[in-house]
Each structure stands twice: as structure tokens, then as C-alpha cells.
Amino acid sequence: MAKSSRHALVWLLLVTLTLLSSASRVATGQDEEIADVSRTPGDGEVWRSSGDTKHRRAYPIIQPDTKHTKLKVSQEGLNVIRSIKNPIAIVAVIGPYRSGKSFLLNQLLTLTCDEGFGVGHARDTQTKGIWVWGDPMEMEVNGQTTSVLFLDTEGFESVGKSSVYDDRIFALATVLSSVLIYNLAETVKEADIAKLSFAVELAEEFYGRVKGRDEVFTPAKLLWLIQRDFLEGKTVQEMVRGALQPVPNPEKDKDVDQVNLIRQSLNLMAANSTAFGLTQPHLARTRLCELSDSDLDPKYVRQRNQLRQVVASLVQPKIVSGKPVTGEEFADLLEKTLNALNKGHIPTAGSVVDAFNRAVQDKCLALYHEAMRRLLPSLPAEEAALVGAHRNASGRAMEVFERERFGGKSAEDAIRPLRDELREALIKLKRENEFESAKACEGAHRGCEEELDALANMRLPSVAKFDARLDACNHTVEQACRGPSKTAYSDRLKKTWTRERSQFLKEYNQRLFNWLVIGSLVLVVIGRFVVKWVVVEVLAWALFVFLETYTRIFWSFDSLYLNPAWRSFVNVWEAVVYNPFIDLDLWSVPLLWVGLILVIMCRCYRCRKRPHTPLLPTHHDTLHTRRSE
């Protein structure tokens, strides 16, 4: 398992390791021809300046903290990068301190030491953190203008630094770069191989993908650059291959085993890696900044120009989440990677990958919530519908995560944080659904209770109306009350209905009896003063006396209510008071006013037809009386 994981690991870094072409050849210091450079214009001229004279100098983008253990962002350099709108490719140089990295970058950029990156000859390292050349080079890559940034990194193993700090620098350069130049002096040493351990782990974690999956993050292509004084003997490619061969370990030393594992992983891709040999430019190394090209070794000048072409042939825009990054996106990528590397005392490849997967996870959560809003436009919803929508939306979110995630973890390990987030989202959604369900059901229940109170206080009681309103209320509750609270509120409402209906029926006959008594008295008044029919008045008095006396002497109320005659009266009452045409309980007051108006009008009409009789005798009446006598 360890070997297979290490092999997969290197497959990533050394697909970090630059697949030049199917037959990538190695340029050495012996006039060997180099790989395909068809994209380059001519000898030495492989890219052009963007013309940004305002930023034509080196800027720090990463600097060490005061203890020289962790890194911090320099906004000055980052703002320069943010202004770049083209797709970006990064060429970074790493290697031991005092190995000529800054001078090499100046040579690639055709800059003097005064113009370009700072070059020093003291024992202490000149470059602190990571620096970028502010004027990006531009070149056409696959028909698209690409801005190429060159990064100078602090050397390994300088005085006053920890290995953890070196790991952070190395990891940051590995993640950010499109081409990673490993600058070594003379030969490949054991320590140089061991230094790749973190990069190997990073490659295994970061670029390990299931076979056949789309690439969402392009790994850096590794260029082994060996600067040496001697030209005879092994070629650079042979030297790299030899250094990557496992060494005997008869004493089973764990450190040797660890380095051999790294060798094994790197050796798998050694045939597809790129190695380049570069002779020393001049014997007077401390005076290199003072020398022009005419003073340098002609072979060095020729190899340097060839090196530019090799680097140019490897350049590709940095791809993150399946698309080229611009300056703004690259700055965000840098900050995200740096925050991940600074977590904890010792940086881990897993922490870097998790930081990148956090962004993918956030995207998938946003897709989940969008799908849930589409599947469930509003709450409350039935529990089964909510769970079904969650299953559908979470399934889509996890498909997107599995397609776009970073890292070589198993699918189960990688997707576990997202699954936990989705589980929390479902729990939160269920709580919200329960709240909205209780709110909706409480509102519907309150409306039904108000309706029941109104029915209990009807002026003209009607069982048919009571039952019809109960059915309508039940339908309203069924429509409005949904979700987990529906069952509880339905049971509660049924109990309320049963109690209120029982109470209504208990009072119903008594209220009818009272209305019948009041009606008999009203008929007395109408028969005596309105229609002035004695028969109506007598019958009304008879009904009143019968209801008030006879029922109390001979029948109880219960026996009256069971009498067929009473039941017939109830049926007539129900038919008149509440029917498809009219609800007398609603129209009783308006009809009463209409009746009173009609009575007044009738009285006025009759008064006009009758002769006027004065209340007091007149003079005419007195004379008429005397004549009669």
C-alpha cells in the first residue's frame, strides 16, 4: 500500500514533473538538441515584455514572520499580480541557498543584476520569502496570450531557519507554479532527493486522482537544472536517473528507506521528466553581475538561450477548477494556500488539499441549497417530500464534489466533510420546517377556533350550518396545515370540534324553544297592532301559554324534544334558516330592518287613505251638531 500510494503520489508531482512530449529529450552541456520548441520565436527570444514600465522591478509577495517559521502575504506584490487580466503561468525557481537562483532568473529575463532580482555574494541568503518580477512576460500559448510571472524563492538550509519553513516555501512554490525549476549545483545529492519528500506527499495528496477523471488542477512541471563546471562523463539525464536509483540498505536504516521510497516514486516518472545541464558562466563567480554576454562562456550563453526555449515549451496557463486563472484568482489561490500551510506547527499536504476542497465544498453546498429551493419553493412541506428533495439535491452536490475535488484520498474520506455539512443542513431544514409547520397549523387552528366561537353564538342556531362550517374549516386546515405538525394539530382540532359540537347540540333545542317563545310574543304584537287580526293574536297567545305552562305541567323538555311534532318543527326550522339560497343568521338583521321599514310605509299609506279626524272638535263640527238638534 505504501509503495502504490507513493507511486500515485509521484504520478502527480511529476505530472507535476513536466511531460514535455512523448519523446521529451534532454539538453545537456554537450550541444545536445533540446525538446520541441515550436512555440518559441527564435534563439533566445521566446517571450516579450508586457510593457508595464510602472512595475518593472521585483516585488515581495511572501515574506517570513519575525521567527522565520511561518509566512505572511505582502500586499504590495499581490496588488501588482491582481492587476493582470490575462491567464497566468508561473515559473518558479527553487533550490539551496547561494546556488544562483536570482542570477538565473535575471538571465532568463534578460536583465542585469541592477535591474532584476537582487543578487548577493555573502554567506547569508539574499532573497527572503518569495519575490515576483512585476513586469510579466507575454507569449502565445495555444493561441491565447498568456502572462508569465517569474518567482524567486528563498534558498533551502540557510542560516537561522527551520526545515518546516523550507517545507512551506517548497510547498507554496509547488502548488503555485506551472514550471518548477529545481536549481542544483554540480550534481544531485542525497539531501536534494530527501528535500522532495514534502513535494511527493503533496503530489500524492493534491494530484492523486482516480484514473479517467478530468483534471481540475494542473500540477507544476519539474525541470531539473544542474549547473556544473565539468562537461565530461555522464549526461544530466543519466545523472538524474542514477540519483533516483535506490541505494542498498543492509542495516535497514529508516531514513534510507524513506529516501528510497521517494526515489522509487520519482523514478517512475524520470523518463518523462525534463533535465537540463548548464555550464558555469564564468570562473569569477563573484563578478558575474559586472560581466556582459560577450565576457561569459559562449557555451553558457548558447545553453542559456536553449534553456529559455525549454522553459517556454513547458509553460502552460495555471489551471484551477478546470479553468485558467487570472491575476485576481491567482492572488486568491496564493492566500488560500498560505493560510493552509500556516495552520499548525508543521504544515501537511492534507491541510493544503483541505483548504482547496473547502472552496469546492462551499460551491456544492450552494448548489444543494439552490436545488432545495427549486424542489421545495416554500415551507412547510411534508416530511417525505423534504427527505426526498434532500436526497435528490445532496446526491447532485456530492456528484459535483467528486468530479471537482482535489486530492488522492478515497472518495469516502474526501466526501465525509461535505456529507457532514449536508447532514447538518438537513437537520437545520427539518427544524425550520417544523417551525413553519407549527406556525401554519397554529394559524389554521386559531382560525377554526374563531369560527367555532362564531358558530356557538349564532343568533339563529342551525345544525346544518354548524356542520357545513366544520367541513369547510376541516378543508382549510388540510390545505394550510402541512408538515410534521399536521398530525398533532389535526388530532387537537378533532377534539375541539367534538367538544364544541356536543355543547352546541346540547344547547340547540333550548335555544330553539326560547326563539319559539319570543316568536309567539312577536306574533301577539303583530296581530294586535300591525295586522290587527284577532285570530292571529289569539293563536299567538295560545302558543305562548302552551309553551310556558303546558310543557312544564305535562312534559319535560327532554320529552318535548323527542316528540315527532318537535322534530318536524326542527326540520322546518333548519330548511328555512339555512339552505342553499339564504342564510337567515346572516340576513336576520337586514331583513328585520326591511320589515320595519315596510310596516312604517304601510301605516303611512293607510293613514293617507282615511279621512283626517282632528283630535279636538272644530267650529264646523259645532254648527253641524246644533243644526241636527
PDB file of all heavy atoms in Angstrom, residues 512-526 540 543-544 547:
ATOM      1  N   LEU A 512     -83.830  26.929  20.481  1.00  0.00           N
ATOM      2  CA  LEU A 512     -84.997  26.929  19.598  1.00  0.00           C
ATOM      3  C   LEU A 512     -86.285  27.203  20.389  1.00  0.00           C
ATOM      4  O   LEU A 512     -87.158  27.942  19.942  1.00  0.00           O
ATOM      5  CB  LEU A 512     -85.116  25.586  18.872  1.00  0.00           C
ATOM      6  CG  LEU A 512     -84.271  25.392  17.604  1.00  0.00           C
ATOM      7  CD1 LEU A 512     -84.648  24.096  16.927  1.00  0.00           C
ATOM      8  CD2 LEU A 512     -84.433  26.540  16.637  1.00  0.00           C
ATOM      9  N   PHE A 513     -86.371  26.560  21.551  1.00  0.00           N
ATOM     10  CA  PHE A 513     -87.544  26.760  22.398  1.00  0.00           C
ATOM     11  C   PHE A 513     -87.663  28.230  22.794  1.00  0.00           C
ATOM     12  O   PHE A 513     -88.760  28.811  22.737  1.00  0.00           O
ATOM     13  CB  PHE A 513     -87.433  25.881  23.643  1.00  0.00           C
ATOM     14  CG  PHE A 513     -88.617  25.969  24.551  1.00  0.00           C
ATOM     15  CD1 PHE A 513     -89.759  25.199  24.330  1.00  0.00           C
ATOM     16  CD2 PHE A 513     -88.613  26.849  25.637  1.00  0.00           C
ATOM     17  CE1 PHE A 513     -90.853  25.308  25.168  1.00  0.00           C
ATOM     18  CE2 PHE A 513     -89.711  26.951  26.481  1.00  0.00           C
ATOM     19  CZ  PHE A 513     -90.835  26.169  26.245  1.00  0.00           C
ATOM     20  N   ASN A 514     -86.544  28.837  23.152  1.00  0.00           N
ATOM     21  CA  ASN A 514     -86.559  30.256  23.521  1.00  0.00           C
ATOM     22  C   ASN A 514     -86.977  31.132  22.344  1.00  0.00           C
ATOM     23  O   ASN A 514     -87.731  32.099  22.512  1.00  0.00           O
ATOM     24  CB  ASN A 514     -85.193  30.686  24.034  1.00  0.00           C
ATOM     25  CG  ASN A 514     -84.832  30.005  25.335  1.00  0.00           C
ATOM     26  OD1 ASN A 514     -85.713  29.532  26.072  1.00  0.00           O
ATOM     27  ND2 ASN A 514     -83.536  29.929  25.631  1.00  0.00           N
ATOM     28  N   TRP A 515     -86.475  30.798  21.146  1.00  0.00           N
ATOM     29  CA  TRP A 515     -86.872  31.549  19.965  1.00  0.00           C
ATOM     30  C   TRP A 515     -88.365  31.383  19.670  1.00  0.00           C
ATOM     31  O   TRP A 515     -89.038  32.305  19.218  1.00  0.00           O
ATOM     32  CB  TRP A 515     -86.051  31.123  18.741  1.00  0.00           C
ATOM     33  CG  TRP A 515     -84.774  31.873  18.588  1.00  0.00           C
ATOM     34  CD1 TRP A 515     -83.511  31.410  18.715  1.00  0.00           C
ATOM     35  CD2 TRP A 515     -84.655  33.258  18.257  1.00  0.00           C
ATOM     36  NE1 TRP A 515     -82.595  32.395  18.511  1.00  0.00           N
ATOM     37  CE2 TRP A 515     -83.282  33.569  18.217  1.00  0.00           C
ATOM     38  CE3 TRP A 515     -85.582  34.279  18.025  1.00  0.00           C
ATOM     39  CZ2 TRP A 515     -82.812  34.839  17.939  1.00  0.00           C
ATOM     40  CZ3 TRP A 515     -85.108  35.547  17.731  1.00  0.00           C
ATOM     41  CH2 TRP A 515     -83.726  35.827  17.695  1.00  0.00           C
ATOM     42  N   LEU A 516     -88.889  30.176  19.968  1.00  0.00           N
ATOM     43  CA  LEU A 516     -90.316  29.931  19.740  1.00  0.00           C
ATOM     44  C   LEU A 516     -91.168  30.771  20.692  1.00  0.00           C
ATOM     45  O   LEU A 516     -92.191  31.344  20.302  1.00  0.00           O
ATOM     46  CB  LEU A 516     -90.625  28.442  19.917  1.00  0.00           C
ATOM     47  CG  LEU A 516     -91.911  27.915  19.284  1.00  0.00           C
ATOM     48  CD1 LEU A 516     -91.951  28.219  17.787  1.00  0.00           C
ATOM     49  CD2 LEU A 516     -92.031  26.415  19.507  1.00  0.00           C
ATOM     50  N   VAL A 517     -90.738  30.880  21.942  1.00  0.00           N
ATOM     51  CA  VAL A 517     -91.440  31.722  22.918  1.00  0.00           C
ATOM     52  C   VAL A 517     -91.397  33.179  22.484  1.00  0.00           C
ATOM     53  O   VAL A 517     -92.427  33.889  22.503  1.00  0.00           O
ATOM     54  CB  VAL A 517     -90.823  31.546  24.322  1.00  0.00           C
ATOM     55  CG1 VAL A 517     -91.422  32.563  25.291  1.00  0.00           C
ATOM     56  CG2 VAL A 517     -91.035  30.124  24.820  1.00  0.00           C
ATOM     57  N   ILE A 518     -90.181  33.641  22.092  1.00  0.00           N
ATOM     58  CA  ILE A 518     -90.058  35.031  21.637  1.00  0.00           C
ATOM     59  C   ILE A 518     -90.909  35.255  20.402  1.00  0.00           C
ATOM     60  O   ILE A 518     -91.579  36.294  20.249  1.00  0.00           O
ATOM     61  CB  ILE A 518     -88.583  35.359  21.361  1.00  0.00           C
ATOM     62  CG1 ILE A 518     -87.766  35.303  22.658  1.00  0.00           C
ATOM     63  CG2 ILE A 518     -88.438  36.709  20.681  1.00  0.00           C
ATOM     64  CD1 ILE A 518     -86.285  35.420  22.468  1.00  0.00           C
ATOM     65  N   GLY A 519     -90.947  34.259  19.499  1.00  0.00           N
ATOM     66  CA  GLY A 519     -91.747  34.380  18.284  1.00  0.00           C
ATOM     67  C   GLY A 519     -93.232  34.503  18.573  1.00  0.00           C
ATOM     68  O   GLY A 519     -93.942  35.262  17.902  1.00  0.00           O
ATOM     69  N   SER A 520     -93.718  33.746  19.584  1.00  0.00           N
ATOM     70  CA  SER A 520     -95.141  33.829  19.935  1.00  0.00           C
ATOM     71  C   SER A 520     -95.488  35.233  20.435  1.00  0.00           C
ATOM     72  O   SER A 520     -96.538  35.785  20.098  1.00  0.00           O
ATOM     73  CB  SER A 520     -95.498  32.780  20.978  1.00  0.00           C
ATOM     74  OG  SER A 520     -94.800  33.032  22.197  1.00  0.00           O
ATOM     75  N   LEU A 521     -94.600  35.835  21.222  1.00  0.00           N
ATOM     76  CA  LEU A 521     -94.837  37.199  21.708  1.00  0.00           C
ATOM     77  C   LEU A 521     -94.783  38.211  20.576  1.00  0.00           C
ATOM     78  O   LEU A 521     -95.562  39.175  20.542  1.00  0.00           O
ATOM     79  CB  LEU A 521     -93.824  37.557  22.785  1.00  0.00           C
ATOM     80  CG  LEU A 521     -93.914  36.759  24.097  1.00  0.00           C
ATOM     81  CD1 LEU A 521     -92.783  37.138  25.037  1.00  0.00           C
ATOM     82  CD2 LEU A 521     -95.269  36.985  24.766  1.00  0.00           C
ATOM     83  N   VAL A 522     -93.895  37.994  19.636  1.00  0.00           N
ATOM     84  CA  VAL A 522     -93.812  38.890  18.481  1.00  0.00           C
ATOM     85  C   VAL A 522     -95.101  38.813  17.677  1.00  0.00           C
ATOM     86  O   VAL A 522     -95.631  39.827  17.205  1.00  0.00           O
ATOM     87  CB  VAL A 522     -92.582  38.536  17.618  1.00  0.00           C
ATOM     88  CG1 VAL A 522     -92.615  39.323  16.301  1.00  0.00           C
ATOM     89  CG2 VAL A 522     -91.295  38.845  18.360  1.00  0.00           C
ATOM     90  N   LEU A 523     -95.650  37.604  17.531  1.00  0.00           N
ATOM     91  CA  LEU A 523     -96.909  37.438  16.797  1.00  0.00           C
ATOM     92  C   LEU A 523     -98.070  38.123  17.511  1.00  0.00           C
ATOM     93  O   LEU A 523     -98.992  38.645  16.882  1.00  0.00           O
ATOM     94  CB  LEU A 523     -97.205  35.951  16.610  1.00  0.00           C
ATOM     95  CG  LEU A 523     -96.370  35.229  15.542  1.00  0.00           C
ATOM     96  CD1 LEU A 523     -96.687  33.738  15.537  1.00  0.00           C
ATOM     97  CD2 LEU A 523     -96.600  35.827  14.172  1.00  0.00           C
ATOM     98  N   VAL A 524     -98.022  38.104  18.842  1.00  0.00           N
ATOM     99  CA  VAL A 524     -99.046  38.817  19.615  1.00  0.00           C
ATOM    100  C   VAL A 524     -99.029  40.297  19.262  1.00  0.00           C
ATOM    101  O   VAL A 524    -100.069  40.925  18.997  1.00  0.00           O
ATOM    102  CB  VAL A 524     -98.852  38.605  21.129  1.00  0.00           C
ATOM    103  CG1 VAL A 524     -99.738  39.565  21.915  1.00  0.00           C
ATOM    104  CG2 VAL A 524     -99.155  37.163  21.508  1.00  0.00           C
ATOM    105  N   VAL A 525     -97.859  40.858  19.254  1.00  0.00           N
ATOM    106  CA  VAL A 525     -97.718  42.280  18.939  1.00  0.00           C
ATOM    107  C   VAL A 525     -98.151  42.561  17.511  1.00  0.00           C
ATOM    108  O   VAL A 525     -98.867  43.547  17.229  1.00  0.00           O
ATOM    109  CB  VAL A 525     -96.260  42.730  19.170  1.00  0.00           C
ATOM    110  CG1 VAL A 525     -96.061  44.175  18.722  1.00  0.00           C
ATOM    111  CG2 VAL A 525     -95.875  42.568  20.614  1.00  0.00           C
ATOM    112  N   ILE A 526     -97.721  41.707  16.566  1.00  0.00           N
ATOM    113  CA  ILE A 526     -98.083  41.913  15.165  1.00  0.00           C
ATOM    114  C   ILE A 526     -99.593  41.791  14.963  1.00  0.00           C
ATOM    115  O   ILE A 526    -100.217  42.607  14.278  1.00  0.00           O
ATOM    116  CB  ILE A 526     -97.326  40.894  14.277  1.00  0.00           C
ATOM    117  CG1 ILE A 526     -95.822  41.206  14.277  1.00  0.00           C
ATOM    118  CG2 ILE A 526     -97.856  40.926  12.850  1.00  0.00           C
ATOM    119  CD1 ILE A 526     -94.980  40.188  13.551  1.00  0.00           C
ATOM    120  N   ALA A 540    -101.419  33.324  18.806  1.00  0.00           N
ATOM    121  CA  ALA A 540    -100.097  33.616  19.361  1.00  0.00           C
ATOM    122  C   ALA A 540    -100.102  33.494  20.872  1.00  0.00           C
ATOM    123  O   ALA A 540     -99.185  32.924  21.483  1.00  0.00           O
ATOM    124  CB  ALA A 540     -99.656  35.009  18.933  1.00  0.00           C
ATOM    125  N   LEU A 543    -100.226  29.823  21.782  1.00  0.00           N
ATOM    126  CA  LEU A 543     -98.902  29.187  21.655  1.00  0.00           C
ATOM    127  C   LEU A 543     -98.018  29.567  22.829  1.00  0.00           C
ATOM    128  O   LEU A 543     -97.301  28.714  23.394  1.00  0.00           O
ATOM    129  CB  LEU A 543     -98.242  29.614  20.340  1.00  0.00           C
ATOM    130  CG  LEU A 543     -96.826  29.082  20.073  1.00  0.00           C
ATOM    131  CD1 LEU A 543     -96.838  27.553  20.050  1.00  0.00           C
ATOM    132  CD2 LEU A 543     -96.263  29.637  18.773  1.00  0.00           C
ATOM    133  N   PHE A 544     -98.050  30.820  23.232  1.00  0.00           N
ATOM    134  CA  PHE A 544     -97.223  31.267  24.354  1.00  0.00           C
ATOM    135  C   PHE A 544     -97.609  30.540  25.636  1.00  0.00           C
ATOM    136  O   PHE A 544     -96.744  30.068  26.391  1.00  0.00           O
ATOM    137  CB  PHE A 544     -97.371  32.787  24.519  1.00  0.00           C
ATOM    138  CG  PHE A 544     -96.616  33.337  25.690  1.00  0.00           C
ATOM    139  CD1 PHE A 544     -95.245  33.514  25.658  1.00  0.00           C
ATOM    140  CD2 PHE A 544     -97.297  33.647  26.875  1.00  0.00           C
ATOM    141  CE1 PHE A 544     -94.567  34.008  26.761  1.00  0.00           C
ATOM    142  CE2 PHE A 544     -96.607  34.134  27.970  1.00  0.00           C
ATOM    143  CZ  PHE A 544     -95.235  34.322  27.915  1.00  0.00           C
ATOM    144  N   LEU A 547     -96.518  26.859  25.537  1.00  0.00           N
ATOM    145  CA  LEU A 547     -95.080  26.660  25.732  1.00  0.00           C
ATOM    146  C   LEU A 547     -94.658  26.917  27.180  1.00  0.00           C
ATOM    147  O   LEU A 547     -93.809  26.202  27.721  1.00  0.00           O
ATOM    148  CB  LEU A 547     -94.288  27.586  24.801  1.00  0.00           C
ATOM    149  CG  LEU A 547     -94.397  27.276  23.297  1.00  0.00           C
ATOM    150  CD1 LEU A 547     -93.689  28.363  22.487  1.00  0.00           C
ATOM    151  CD2 LEU A 547     -93.811  25.920  22.964  1.00  0.00           C
TER     152      LEU A 547
END
